mmCIF file of all heavy atoms in Angstrom:
data_model
loop_
_atom_site.group_PDB
_atom_site.id
_atom_site.type_symbol
_atom_site.label_atom_id
_atom_site.label_comp_id
_atom_site.label_asym_id
_atom_site.label_seq_id
_atom_site.Cartn_x
_atom_site.Cartn_y
_atom_site.Cartn_z
ATOM 1 N N PHE A 96 36.487 50.851 -59.385
ATOM 2 C CA PHE A 96 35.962 49.836 -60.310
ATOM 3 C C PHE A 96 34.656 49.306 -59.748
ATOM 4 O O PHE A 96 34.567 48.958 -58.569
ATOM 5 C CB PHE A 96 36.942 48.672 -60.486
ATOM 6 C CG PHE A 96 36.353 47.546 -61.309
ATOM 7 C CD1 PHE A 96 36.271 47.663 -62.682
ATOM 8 C CD2 PHE A 96 35.854 46.412 -60.707
ATOM 9 C CE1 PHE A 96 35.701 46.665 -63.448
ATOM 10 C CE2 PHE A 96 35.285 45.396 -61.460
ATOM 11 C CZ PHE A 96 35.208 45.523 -62.833
ATOM 12 N N GLU A 97 33.645 49.250 -60.596
ATOM 13 C CA GLU A 97 32.338 48.676 -60.249
ATOM 14 C C GLU A 97 31.991 47.669 -61.321
ATOM 15 O O GLU A 97 31.937 48.008 -62.511
ATOM 16 C CB GLU A 97 31.245 49.762 -60.222
ATOM 17 C CG GLU A 97 31.438 50.846 -59.197
ATOM 18 C CD GLU A 97 31.167 50.371 -57.781
ATOM 19 O OE1 GLU A 97 30.384 49.419 -57.587
ATOM 20 O OE2 GLU A 97 31.765 50.964 -56.860
ATOM 21 N N GLY A 98 31.766 46.433 -60.921
ATOM 22 C CA GLY A 98 31.424 45.423 -61.914
ATOM 23 C C GLY A 98 31.174 44.082 -61.276
ATOM 24 O O GLY A 98 30.702 43.992 -60.141
ATOM 25 N N HIS A 99 31.532 43.039 -62.037
ATOM 26 C CA HIS A 99 31.308 41.667 -61.593
ATOM 27 C C HIS A 99 32.502 40.796 -61.963
ATOM 28 O O HIS A 99 33.081 40.954 -63.033
ATOM 29 C CB HIS A 99 30.039 41.096 -62.239
ATOM 30 C CG HIS A 99 28.801 41.765 -61.774
ATOM 31 N ND1 HIS A 99 28.331 42.948 -62.321
ATOM 32 C CD2 HIS A 99 27.942 41.446 -60.777
ATOM 33 C CE1 HIS A 99 27.228 43.309 -61.687
ATOM 34 N NE2 HIS A 99 26.970 42.415 -60.745
ATOM 35 N N ALA A 100 32.832 39.865 -61.066
ATOM 36 C CA ALA A 100 33.909 38.901 -61.314
ATOM 37 C C ALA A 100 33.314 37.641 -61.934
ATOM 38 O O ALA A 100 32.134 37.337 -61.755
ATOM 39 C CB ALA A 100 34.627 38.568 -60.016
ATOM 40 N N ILE A 101 34.172 36.923 -62.652
ATOM 41 C CA ILE A 101 33.725 35.724 -63.354
ATOM 42 C C ILE A 101 33.558 34.542 -62.397
ATOM 43 O O ILE A 101 34.307 34.405 -61.430
ATOM 44 C CB ILE A 101 34.711 35.371 -64.491
ATOM 45 C CG1 ILE A 101 34.074 34.401 -65.483
ATOM 46 C CG2 ILE A 101 36.016 34.829 -63.930
ATOM 47 C CD1 ILE A 101 34.896 34.208 -66.753
ATOM 48 N N THR A 102 32.549 33.749 -62.669
ATOM 49 C CA THR A 102 32.327 32.456 -62.021
ATOM 50 C C THR A 102 31.942 31.483 -63.128
ATOM 51 O O THR A 102 31.818 31.877 -64.291
ATOM 52 C CB THR A 102 31.185 32.514 -60.983
ATOM 53 O OG1 THR A 102 29.942 32.690 -61.675
ATOM 54 C CG2 THR A 102 31.388 33.623 -59.967
ATOM 55 N N LYS A 103 31.713 30.240 -62.758
ATOM 56 C CA LYS A 103 31.261 29.243 -63.754
ATOM 57 C C LYS A 103 29.887 29.618 -64.318
ATOM 58 O O LYS A 103 29.501 29.152 -65.380
ATOM 59 C CB LYS A 103 31.214 27.844 -63.138
ATOM 60 C CG LYS A 103 32.539 27.359 -62.597
ATOM 61 C CD LYS A 103 33.480 26.942 -63.681
ATOM 62 C CE LYS A 103 34.760 26.373 -63.066
ATOM 63 N NZ LYS A 103 35.786 26.096 -64.007
ATOM 64 N N ASP A 104 29.135 30.478 -63.599
ATOM 65 C CA ASP A 104 27.811 30.907 -64.060
ATOM 66 C C ASP A 104 27.845 32.199 -64.868
ATOM 67 O O ASP A 104 26.815 32.697 -65.283
ATOM 68 C CB ASP A 104 26.872 31.095 -62.863
ATOM 69 C CG ASP A 104 26.602 29.794 -62.138
ATOM 70 O OD1 ASP A 104 26.492 28.747 -62.805
ATOM 71 O OD2 ASP A 104 26.521 29.818 -60.890
ATOM 72 N N GLY A 105 29.024 32.762 -65.060
ATOM 73 C CA GLY A 105 29.149 34.022 -65.803
ATOM 74 C C GLY A 105 29.802 35.085 -64.932
ATOM 75 O O GLY A 105 30.470 34.779 -63.948
ATOM 76 N N PHE A 106 29.578 36.329 -65.280
ATOM 77 C CA PHE A 106 30.098 37.443 -64.484
ATOM 78 C C PHE A 106 29.031 37.775 -63.448
ATOM 79 O O PHE A 106 28.172 38.623 -63.668
ATOM 80 C CB PHE A 106 30.421 38.634 -65.394
ATOM 81 C CG PHE A 106 31.632 38.389 -66.250
ATOM 82 C CD1 PHE A 106 31.511 37.822 -67.515
ATOM 83 C CD2 PHE A 106 32.901 38.711 -65.786
ATOM 84 C CE1 PHE A 106 32.631 37.587 -68.302
ATOM 85 C CE2 PHE A 106 34.027 38.471 -66.563
ATOM 86 C CZ PHE A 106 33.887 37.907 -67.821
ATOM 87 N N THR A 107 29.084 37.063 -62.301
ATOM 88 C CA THR A 107 27.970 37.112 -61.352
ATOM 89 C C THR A 107 28.327 37.635 -59.965
ATOM 90 O O THR A 107 27.424 37.949 -59.193
ATOM 91 C CB THR A 107 27.365 35.700 -61.192
ATOM 92 O OG1 THR A 107 28.384 34.805 -60.754
ATOM 93 C CG2 THR A 107 26.761 35.207 -62.512
ATOM 94 N N VAL A 108 29.600 37.708 -59.617
ATOM 95 C CA VAL A 108 29.977 38.143 -58.265
ATOM 96 C C VAL A 108 30.231 39.650 -58.279
ATOM 97 O O VAL A 108 31.150 40.119 -58.946
ATOM 98 C CB VAL A 108 31.245 37.404 -57.772
ATOM 99 C CG1 VAL A 108 31.702 37.952 -56.424
ATOM 100 C CG2 VAL A 108 30.992 35.914 -57.690
ATOM 101 N N PRO A 109 29.405 40.424 -57.563
ATOM 102 C CA PRO A 109 29.601 41.877 -57.539
ATOM 103 C C PRO A 109 30.984 42.256 -56.995
ATOM 104 O O PRO A 109 31.461 41.670 -56.022
ATOM 105 C CB PRO A 109 28.501 42.389 -56.613
ATOM 106 C CG PRO A 109 27.494 41.297 -56.564
ATOM 107 C CD PRO A 109 28.261 40.017 -56.753
ATOM 108 N N VAL A 110 31.594 43.223 -57.653
ATOM 109 C CA VAL A 110 32.902 43.729 -57.235
ATOM 110 C C VAL A 110 32.838 45.251 -57.220
ATOM 111 O O VAL A 110 32.426 45.872 -58.195
ATOM 112 C CB VAL A 110 34.024 43.284 -58.209
ATOM 113 C CG1 VAL A 110 35.357 43.906 -57.807
ATOM 114 C CG2 VAL A 110 34.127 41.775 -58.282
#
Side-chain angles (χ1 to χ4, degrees):
F96 174 77
E97 297 287 333
H99 293 84
I101 197 170
T102 69
K103 301 285 184 187
D104 295 323
F106 289 91
T107 58
V108 175
V110 176

